[in-house]
Amino acid sequence: MAEDNKEVKSFKDLGICEQLVEACENLGWKTPSKIQAEAIPHALEGKDLIGLAQTGSGKTGAFALPILQALLDTPQVLFACVLSPTRELAIQIAEQFEALGSGIGLKCAVLVGGVDHTQQAIALAKRPHIVVGTPGRLMDHLSNTKGFSLRTMKYLVLDEADRLLNEDFEKAIDEILSVIPRDRKTYLFSATMTKKVRKLQRACLRNPVKIEAASKYSTVDTLKQQYRFVPAKYKECYLVYILTELSGSTTMVFTRTCDATRLLALLLRNLGLRAIPISGHMSQAKRLGALNKFKAGECNILICTDVASRGLDIPSVDMVINYDIPSNSKDYIHRVGRTARAGRSGVAISLVNQYELEWYIQIEKLIGKKLPEFPAQEEEVLLLLERVTEAKRISQMKIKETGGKKKRRGGDEGEEEIDRYLASKNGKSSKKLKKR
């Protein structure tokens, strides 16, 4: 286990060169986070790393800075490869590399599904220094894109390794490991240390330094966590009540299914709230478009599935609402990690119905604490019932209509219909909800 570097005050103290210290300052990074303070000195010494860190801990900087410093020392193309489990996370990682490397002419290529293959092949032909991708699409290019290989690669990063090791990626990861140079540095970052992560560690790391930047499954101290037991039939009412009570907040609402994100976004829009959905059913361009609207403040409520719970760089979320309780309690940690980042405070509220009680009990066991109840008078909440029920009925009708169009046309046209409808509802036809 690495020692705690309590004396570290700046990136310069860690051994980061002047050019990159300046890049950190331009990004507003004044002092290193715990994972950065502990990982960077070992990385600069040329060690392999295993970093266990909760979401929002600054781990991208922990691997990007040592790689960029090594690249400055020995400039060459195809220097590092970063593997990520989701498209969004891959894009975020590449953006951070490009921001840190903007002053040194860094070139990145992002290889993810849902984006034109030929465009990516052109980006690879421009000989990037860093390749960031999802395992399947990276393997696709290694097999089919003429002239592309990772023979010169000096660094491999496996980010969110616990998620990279599910059945979807395992075959592609094995194939990638079989074709990349053995003589390389490997950094493995994971929120949790599972049996599969240990197995991968033994297979591809050499005498790694293990850094644990957070106690197992902890949530940060600046996060105010609450729950509310609600009857399933009134769940939408409670959601609307909380969102109107805390109406100035930037909020992420987590649901279990992609269909639920669409329904809730429509329902909330019908009530005059600025909500937008993001889920795995949407194309890559749609997902990024929704995310950018949320980041820009055009919409202050993002309704999402767990595809958006990890790896998304959304710095200013005030509140997370678990509309559906996750059946895997570790997902709770990742969801609520979207708020109270980088020392800021945040709120997480979980709506628990009668069918989710067992899952909620598992969450309390995992985090090792009993949460206080969110205060609300049911009579006051149910004053909204009539309007919420009507908004839900209209939303279901609209989804039925657009769903038929989507099936007939295929692709994203049905989503576009809903987008147009959402846009038309944005503040035009509905009065803002007010407390009676």
Side-chain angles (χ1 to χ4, degrees):
M1 181 71 73
E3 288 174 20
D4 199 354
N5 290 313
K6 285 178 182 165
E7 297 306 308
V8 171
K9 296 284 189 294
S10 70
F11 286 99
K12 194 174 180 182
D13 293 342
L14 296 176
I16 295 295
C17 68
E18 199 58 53
Q19 266 176 299
L20 292 174
V21 169
E22 205 175 297
C24 290
E25 283 167 3
N26 292 340
L27 286 178
W29 298 3
K30 292 182 176 60
T31 53
S33 70
K34 193 165 187 278
I35 188 77
Q36 290 164 355
E38 294 195 18
I40 288 171
H42 294 291
L44 293 177
E45 285 170 15
K47 303 274 178 57
D48 281 5
L49 297 179
I50 297 169
L52 296 181
Q54 65 202 58
T55 185
S57 60
K59 57 187 162 66
T60 306
F63 61 75
L65 287 167
I67 288 172
L68 291 175
Q69 186 142 316
L71 179 62
L72 278 170
D73 292 340
T74 54
Q76 67 164 65
V77 292
L78 280 171
F79 189 70
C81 174
V82 184
L83 290 177
S84 144
T86 66
R87 302 164 180 186
E88 287 84 3
L89 179 55
I91 291 160
Q92 302 276 346
I93 291 167
E95 282 173 354
Q96 206 147 89
F97 264 106
E98 282 167 352
L100 287 167
S102 59
I104 58 172
L106 183 80
K107 285 193 285 187
C108 269
V110 181
L111 309 180
V112 295
V115 177
D116 182 59
H117 200 284
T118 310
Q119 266 182 303
Q120 292 175 355
I122 292 165
L124 290 173
K126 291 177 181 171
R127 298 162 67 78
H129 304 99
I130 313 288
V131 170
V132 188
T134 48
R137 182 53 70 97
L138 176 69
M139 201 58 227
D140 186 6
H141 280 285
L142 285 169
S143 306
N144 301 312
T145 301
K146 201 176 175 185
F148 171 55
S149 84
L150 294 172
R151 280 195 302 273
T152 59
M153 189 194 80
K154 296 287 183 279
Y155 286 84
L156 173 69
V157 181
L158 300 153
D159 197 16
E160 305 274 9
D162 47 341
R163 295 179 75 201
L164 278 173
L165 297 173
N166 65 24
E167 296 80 47
D168 298 342
F169 300 126
E170 213 160 355
K171 187 170 180 282
I173 297 271
D174 287 343
E175 287 173 355
I176 291 162
L177 290 174
S178 71
V179 297
I180 58 175
R182 285 177 178 274
D183 183 22
R184 64 169 193 268
K185 303 287 181 286
T186 307
Y187 302 154
L188 185 154
F189 285 85
S190 180
T192 55
M193 181 52 96
T194 63
K195 283 178 187 167
K196 284 188 175 180
V197 173
R198 278 198 192 89
K199 188 178 165 190
L200 182 66
Q201 168 201 328
R202 288 196 297 273
C204 72
L205 277 79
R206 280 185 280 195
N207 301 321
V209 177
K210 186 180 175 192
I211 292 140
E212 204 158 349
S215 60
K216 205 177 181 191
Y217 311 131
S218 68
T219 49
V220 293
D221 298 334
T222 50
L223 174 65
K224 180 185 177 186
Q225 300 174 79
Q226 296 172 302
Y227 76 95
R228 179 73 193 201
F229 288 132
V230 300
K233 61 182 175 179
Y234 298 145
K235 211 182 219 189
E236 290 113 343
C237 250
Y238 272 91
L239 175 66
V240 173
Y241 177 82
I242 292 166
L243 290 170
T244 49
E245 282 290 296
L246 302 164
S247 58
S249 303
T250 310
T251 304
M252 290 179 81
V253 178
F254 284 97
T255 68
R256 194 167 296 117
T257 66
C258 297
D259 289 344
T261 62
R262 294 168 75 202
L263 177 63
L264 282 180
L266 277 169
L267 187 156
L268 294 172
R269 285 284 183 121
N270 281 324
L271 293 167
L273 295 162
R274 292 177 299 129
I276 194 160
I278 182 171
S279 74
H281 280 179
M282 294 160 72
S283 70
Q284 181 65 9
K286 287 264 164 227
R287 283 151 78 174
L288 287 173
L291 201 53
N292 288 335
K293 280 182 185 173
F294 183 65
K295 279 183 173 180
E298 287 177 50
C299 300
N300 69 323
I301 302 163
L302 186 70
I303 316 284
C304 49
T305 53
D306 281 302
V307 75
S309 70
R310 289 168 80 174
L312 296 192
D313 181 25
I314 304 167
S316 57
V317 176
D318 305 311
M319 177 164 63
V320 166
I321 298 175
N322 287 303
Y323 178 78
D324 291 319
I325 299 299
S327 54
N328 180 345
S329 41
K330 288 174 200 166
D331 287 337
Y332 173 85
I333 306 285
H334 303 312
R335 288 180 181 188
V336 302
R338 298 287 97 218
T339 185
R341 293 164 80 85
R344 286 187 289 267
S345 59
V347 177
I349 301 168
S350 297
L351 297 176
V352 189
N353 70 23
Q354 61 268 41
Y355 311 110
E356 300 168 316
L357 188 55
E358 192 54 47
W359 294 334
Y360 178 72
I361 291 165
Q362 290 306 316
I363 288 166
E364 285 198 330
K365 271 188 194 165
L366 185 73
I367 60 176
K369 56 175 115 175
K370 292 267 179 206
L371 300 184
E373 191 167 17
F374 176 80
Q377 294 294 321
E378 187 155 291
E379 304 78 54
E380 200 177 337
V381 175
L382 295 185
L383 291 173
L384 299 167
L385 185 59
E386 196 180 320
R387 280 179 288 169
V388 171
T389 305
E390 178 61 8
K392 185 178 179 180
R393 187 187 66 77
I394 294 165
S395 306
Q396 285 170 326
M397 276 170 54
K398 194 70 204 172
I399 284 173
K400 208 170 177 183
E401 282 173 36
T402 55
K405 288 177 186 175
K406 187 173 180 182
K407 275 176 192 157
R408 285 197 299 277
R409 297 176 190 170
D412 276 321
E413 289 89 341
E415 290 292 351
E416 282 161 18
E417 284 280 334
I418 286 187
D419 278 351
R420 281 195 287 275
Y421 178 68
L422 286 175
S424 74
K425 299 299 291 180
N426 191 5
K428 286 182 186 174
S429 59
S430 295
K431 292 171 187 165
K432 291 277 177 194
L433 277 171
K434 290 184 184 136
K435 281 175 67 182
R436 289 182 180 177

